[in-house]
């Protein structure tokens, strides 16, 4: 959450900073701002979107060769200009508001001991203008500054508890930028010819500016100047260049362009056939080597495990819930799925022969990273991640990995990343089944054939969009909805409900259909649409009984039915027929109409589809 861009250059860097913010706006859009050195500290801040900030910068002709910029997802303090980043330090005493500050700072993360730091700084005479934890860091750096910003930041971070990525500059050293990270991502961009260097939350912010990236590690502090940079590690010992190598990262800005689509979410829904095709590219057969890490053999690990623990949050958690059905029914391996933010805080029973699987789109999800580290601290060292970013912290910290290739996902509500995760998890299921002697060659061939057909099958599902739009017109008038699924499709019902509530703000819940009579049926009226995922599987007849329970209470059904389920349209029963039954891979197809339903309902209600209120894309705070 939150996006950071910073630069030291010989040219006016403001256009680069605000363009970087536009690419990072999916990380937070409660407010935004930019600060530069121009005979002191100057800034522009806005509680509107980055587009308005750009207009403000143009009106004021803000320019500078050293600067920082930020787009915010609010944690401490309401979305308001005085809480927007960048924050400045101010003098001490009664006239502090009137005296220009010397420290400018942006921050991503949460400082847990900000209250005690604020009290100590207030006692020294510092006056606070915001309710943020970030302003505490700015004043702290100022209080420790004695002519060397690098030393002041190093001394400051020793006092911080919590998560942070910061970029700081000082008016007394105008061509120097300091960055530090712990628990939140930060990268260094190396400019061409050494005449400019950058800091950012994500390489995409620097697309078209530099593709030479250094990934900062946990606890690093970096000193960025014209023509040079250097780092120290969490112990503040110098880091050799070979320890933080410069990597070429092709973060194409074109991937973030809308093209003919109205919203990024719509674009990303329709990119799913390509995303799945790319994710499966090169998979010729099921072999453990698909999951090898840089220094770890999946074949060896797979033979040494007797269970699986999946850790994830949000949409990724639902992909893990789906995978549990596959792993237990196909691979025959006991599987547990945990919400990452809960797992790390409860007493559990560790098993060193467990494969710990993390699932994350960004690879920087704070709760999932913390849960991984907790599992490792308990002695569970077999780790694997399903992740969409090969250079992320999660990939670096797990021994094994499968990198999905969904491409950049801008819409806050995940779509193509989810189905790509499911594809990666199905491959993992097959690889574990093979290593346990539960996958015949005939079964492997059949599964691979079905997987290779997925892009075509998804195209056929996307062709159902006009029918989904008709449903959306009904849903747009509602304030509540129920989603039902059974077995393998219960997590898909959960995901459908999540998508609808995220972007349309309709209250939606999902239940295993068999639980309907144990409470949720009390909610069913004609004003409570009930979406039912109805594949032609062994639970179909049970599901039909649950549907009759809804109709008997005057509920209106919206059914996603396979062609051969014999569920017909009737009064109170709306049916969209899926193009084909897809067996174990059916969840990848059934989730797509639910994504489209959420999208078109939100469009009909006039909400901000790509940037739903109170949310952000990359959740890098706890």
């Amino acid at each position: 959450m939150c996006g950071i861009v910073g630069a030291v250059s010989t040219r006016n860097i403001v256009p680069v900073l605000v363009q970087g913010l536009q690419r990072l706006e999916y990380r937070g859009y409660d407010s935004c701002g930019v600060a530069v050195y121009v005979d002191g500290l100057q800034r522009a801040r806005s509680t509107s979107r980055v587009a308005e900030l750009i207009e403000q910068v143009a009106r004021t002709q803000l320019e500078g060769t050293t600067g920082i910029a930020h787009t915010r997802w609010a944690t401490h303090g309401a979305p308001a200009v005085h809480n927007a980043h960048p924050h400045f330090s101010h003098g001490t005493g009664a006239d502090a508001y009137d005296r220009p500050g010397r420290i400018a700072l942006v921050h991503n993360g949460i400082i847990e001991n900000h209250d005690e730091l604020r009290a100590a700084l207030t006692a020294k005479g510092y006056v606070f203008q915001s309710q943020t934890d970030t302003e505490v860091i700015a004043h702290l750096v100022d209080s420790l500054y004695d002519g060397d910003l690098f030393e002041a930041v190093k001394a400051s971070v020793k006092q911080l508890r919590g998560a942070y990525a910061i970029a700081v500059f000082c008016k007394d050293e105008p061509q120097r930028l300091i960055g530090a990270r712990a628990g939140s991502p930060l990268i260094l961009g190396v400019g061409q010819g050494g005449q400019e260097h950058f800091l950012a939350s994500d390489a995409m912010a620097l697309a078209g500016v530099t593709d030479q990236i250094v990934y900062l590690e946990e606890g690093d502090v970096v000193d960025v100047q014209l023509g040079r940079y250097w780092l120290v590690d969490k112990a503040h010992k110098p880091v050799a260049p070979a320890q933080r190598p410069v990597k070429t990262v092709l973060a194409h800005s074109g991937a973030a362009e809308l093209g003919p689509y109205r919203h990024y979410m719509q674009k990303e829904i329709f990119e799913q056939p390509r995303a799945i095709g790319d994710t499966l590219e090169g998979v010729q057969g099921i072999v453990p080597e698909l999951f090898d890490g840089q220094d770890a053999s999946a074949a060896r690990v797979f033979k040494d495990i007797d269970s699986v623990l999946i850790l994830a949050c949000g949409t990724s958690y639902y992909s893990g819930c789906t995978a549990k059905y596959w792993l237990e029914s196909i691979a025959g391996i006991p599987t547990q799925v945990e919400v990452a933010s809960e797992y790390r805080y409860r007493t559990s029973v560790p098993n060193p022969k467990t494969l710990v699987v993390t699932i994350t789109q960004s690879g920087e999800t704070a709760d999932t990273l913390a849960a991984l580290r907790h599992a490792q601290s308990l002695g569970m060292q077999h780790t694997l991640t399903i992740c969409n970013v090969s250079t992320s912290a999660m990939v670096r910290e797990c021994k094994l990995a499968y990198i999905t290739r969904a491409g950049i996902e801008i819409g806050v509500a995940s779509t193509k990343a989810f189905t790509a995760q499911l594809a990666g998890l199905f491959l993992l299921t097959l690889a574990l089944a093979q290593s346990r002697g539960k996958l015949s060659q005939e079964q492997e061939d059949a599964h691979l054939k079905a997987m290779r057909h997925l892009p075509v099958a998804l195209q056929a599902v996307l062709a159902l969009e006009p029918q989904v739009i008709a449903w959306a017109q009904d849903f747009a008038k509602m304030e509540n909805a129920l989603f039902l699924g059974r077995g393998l499709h219960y997590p898909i019902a959960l995901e459908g409900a999540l998508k609808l509530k995220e972007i349309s703000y309709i209250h939606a819940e999902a239940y295993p259909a068999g639980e309907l009579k144990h409470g949720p049926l009390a909610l069913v009226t004609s004003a409570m649409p009930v979406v039912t995922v109805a594949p032609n599987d062994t639970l179909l007849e049970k599901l039909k009984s649950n549907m009759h329970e809804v109709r008997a209470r005057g509920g209106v059904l919206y059914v996603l039915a396979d062609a051969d389920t014999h569920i017909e349209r009737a009064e109170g029963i709306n049916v969209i027929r899926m193009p084909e039954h897809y067996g174990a891979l059916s969840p990848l197809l059934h989730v797509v109409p639910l994504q489209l339903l959420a999208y078109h309902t939100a469009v009909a209600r006039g909400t901000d589809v790509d940037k739903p209120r109170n949310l952000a894309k990359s959740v890098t705070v706890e």
Side-chain angles (χ1 to χ4, degrees), residues 372-385:
L372 168 69
R373 294 163 187 158
H374 177 66
Q376 291 170 324
S377 74
L378 296 176
M380 293 188 283
Q381 299 303 313
H382 298 315
T383 58
L384 182 152
T385 188

Side-chain angles (χ1 to χ4, degrees), residues 241-483:
Q243 294 175 279
R244 304 288 187 273
V246 178
K247 298 183 178 182
T248 300
V249 177
L250 302 177
H252 297 295
S253 61
E257 295 173 358
L258 266 176
Y261 297 97
R262 186 172 175 182
H263 298 94
Y264 286 111
M265 184 179 179
Q266 183 186 29
K267 175 177 183 276
E268 289 153 11
I269 290 171
F270 277 84
E271 286 177 340
Q272 287 177 111
R274 179 199 56 76
I276 296 299
D278 289 349
T279 294
L280 299 177
E281 186 178 2
V283 177
Q284 301 301 319
I286 302 302
V287 292
E289 287 75 19
L290 290 169
F291 300 89
D292 278 355
Q294 289 186 343
D295 303 307
S297 164
R300 181 187 60 79
V301 171
F302 289 175
K303 291 184 182 302
D304 195 38
I305 63 168
D306 60 13
S307 61
V308 173
L309 169 64
I310 297 175
L311 303 172
C313 300
T315 285
S316 296
Y317 171 74
Y318 295 146
S319 70
C321 291
T322 307
K324 174 182 172 71
Y325 287 91
W326 289 333
L327 287 162
E328 295 198 338
S329 65
I330 298 174
I333 187 165
T335 301
Q336 185 176 359
V337 188
E338 295 259 7
V339 175
S341 59
E342 290 292 317
Y343 170 74
R344 61 182 292 206
Y345 292 117
R346 75 175 187 84
T347 301
S348 57
V349 181
N351 173 9
K353 295 179 76 66
T354 292
L355 176 64
V356 179
V357 177
T358 64
I359 311 171
T360 164
Q361 187 279 137
S362 68
E364 305 288 350
T365 307
D367 284 321
T368 310
L369 281 166
L372 168 69
R373 294 163 187 158
H374 177 66
Q376 291 170 324
S377 74
L378 296 176
M380 293 188 283
Q381 299 303 313
H382 298 315
T383 58
L384 182 152
T385 188
I386 306 292
C387 183
N388 197 43
V389 182
S390 62
T391 53
S392 65
M394 190 67 75
V395 173
R396 295 196 299 272
E397 294 192 26
C398 286
K399 291 183 178 178
L400 306 176
Y402 191 82
I403 308 302
T404 58
R405 299 174 66 183
I408 296 168
E409 191 176 63
I410 299 296
V412 165
S414 181
T415 53
K416 63 177 180 175
F418 175 74
T419 48
Q421 287 170 353
L422 289 178
L425 288 163
F426 194 74
L427 283 176
L428 176 62
T429 298
L430 298 182
L432 288 172
Q434 184 189 72
S435 71
R436 296 168 65 82
K438 294 181 177 296
L439 187 71
S440 68
Q441 187 60 54
E442 183 180 3
Q443 290 170 324
E444 176 182 337
D445 291 345
H447 285 309
L448 283 174
K449 181 180 179 181
M451 293 194 81
R452 293 187 183 113
H453 182 62
L454 275 172
V456 175
L458 284 166
Q459 289 286 10
V461 176
L462 288 167
L464 300 172
E465 186 181 33
Q467 297 177 57
V468 178
I469 292 173
W471 281 15
Q473 299 307 308
D474 294 342
F475 275 73
K477 304 167 189 173
M478 304 298 177
E479 294 301 328
N480 302 280
L482 282 176
F483 287 70

